[in-house]
């Protein structure tokens, strides 16, 4: 049971998140490997894939949303994700109790006394076919259940009925009302049986490990996984971090060289890298975390030497980079170069929004390092 240094954990995590070197994988393979991309912000998964893949282009993900290979829906931690359609069919049944408790906890009083089966039946009927936006769904439900809050009804139904948000929801650059449709109608197949928790844990560890039980639970939202992991011990490698915390990993999964160089990477808001564990110190220290994660917001970050070193924003052709601590001259030069490549990927003045990652800083755009 070896002890792993912080840098070993950092480099191994970056390697498994495809952030030590851009991978020659397809977008669909990558979405599957990561078990979904965090997608509260519609453009975020595109930037997340740009940071991880060689020559990624916007239409590589947009096409997957339109051909229904990838769907946008609430899953892990009751938050929006882009996931492979096949993974949605299994993960949603597994996480359904978590999704239901979260929404019913928030709106339980507003729907108290309603017959759940009747509410679900009405919701399924209304979401069938072309579907509705959430406000439309709420108004239609309120007409059937007079005296009830429309928003509470809509959220309650969405917590109880498997649904997805079809395009243009989740498509690069789209802003507007979010449609909801029945998942099985959109996918053309019924929902699957829930997978065994140990199968999901093994997939999580392949992309996020080594990790502890609390990390696994924080990632998916499920609780009481200690007994499941304990039952898997004979199939797992066991490590400890520098504080003695027990970590688990997939047998045979290599650990990265702690001295391997880590390139600068820009990541979108809510990226998986920052949210994939309960203990996030392998990529961000606690002081910086409080500046990056405020309330329900997770700001876009950039990495230097494998760790979160600052935040960034983009508006009207200007990409503003704000280090949390001063950058050395060589670090600032690498940050500026990678920021310039990202600027070419973003839309607007100087960025056509269709370029690959190697585009230089366009004359009409600019990078500002604060």
């Amino acid at each position: 049971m070896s002890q792993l240094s912080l840098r070993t954990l950092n480099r191994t995590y970056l390697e498994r998140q495809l952030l030590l070197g851009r991978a020659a994988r397809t977008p669909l393979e990558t979405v599957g490997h990561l078990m979904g991309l965090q997608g509260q912000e519609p453009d975020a998964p595109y930037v997340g894939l740009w940071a991880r893949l060689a020559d990624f282009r916007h239409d590589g993900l947009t096409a997957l949303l339109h051909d229904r290979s990838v769907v946008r829906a609430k899953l892990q931690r009751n938050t929006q994700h882009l996931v492979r359609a096949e993974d949605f069919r299994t993960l949603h049944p597994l996480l359904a109790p978590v999704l239901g408790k979260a929404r019913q906890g928030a709106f339980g009083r507003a729907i108290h006394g309603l017959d759940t089966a009747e509410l679900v039946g009405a919701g399924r009927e209304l979401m069938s076919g072309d579907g509705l936006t959430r406000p439309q769904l709420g108004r239609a439900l309120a007409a059937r259940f007079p005296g009830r809050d429309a928003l509470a009804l809509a959220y309650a139904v969405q917590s109880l009925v498997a649904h997805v948000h079809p395009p243009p929801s989740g498509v690069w650059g789209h802003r507007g009302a979010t449609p909801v449709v029945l998942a099985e109608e959109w996918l053309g197949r019924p929902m699957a049986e829930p997978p065994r928790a140990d199968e999901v844990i093994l997939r999580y560890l392949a992309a996020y490990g080594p990790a502890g039980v609390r990390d696994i639970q924080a990632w998916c939202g499920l609780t009481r996984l200690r007994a499941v992991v304990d039952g898997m011990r004979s199939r797992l490698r066991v490590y400890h971090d520098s504080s003695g915390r027990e970590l688990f990993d997939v047998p045979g999964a290599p650990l990265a060289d702690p001295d391997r160089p880590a390139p600068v990477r820009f990541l979108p808001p809510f990226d998986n890298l920052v949210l994939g564990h309960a203990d996030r110190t392998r990529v961000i220290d606690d002081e910086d975390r409080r500046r990056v994660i405020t309330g329900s917001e997770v700001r876009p970050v950039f990495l230097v030497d494998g760790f979160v070193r600052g935040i960034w924003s983009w508006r009207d052709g200007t990409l503003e980079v704000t280090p949390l601590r001063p950058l050395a001259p060589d670090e600032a030069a690498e940050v500026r170069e990678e920021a310039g490549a990202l600027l070419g990927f973003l839309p607007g003045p100087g960025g056509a929004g269709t370029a690959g990652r190697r585009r230089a800083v366009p004359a009409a755009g600019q990078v500002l390092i604060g």
Side-chain angles (χ1 to χ4, degrees), residues 13 50 347:
Y13 187 32
W50 173 86

Side-chain angles (χ1 to χ4, degrees), residues 180-228:
V180 290
V181 301
L182 286 177
E184 57 262 51
E185 289 189 358
W186 180 255
L187 299 174
R189 285 161 291 173
M191 301 300 289
E193 290 295 317
R196 290 180 5 206
D198 59 345
E199 296 171 349
V200 175
I201 290 170
L202 288 173
R203 287 186 61 188
Y204 166 81
L205 293 175
Y208 297 83
V213 174
R214 288 183 62 245
D215 297 319
I216 301 168
Q217 294 180 159
W219 168 77
C220 66
L222 295 173
T223 58
R224 302 179 181 178
L225 293 181
R226 166 62 67 180
V228 179

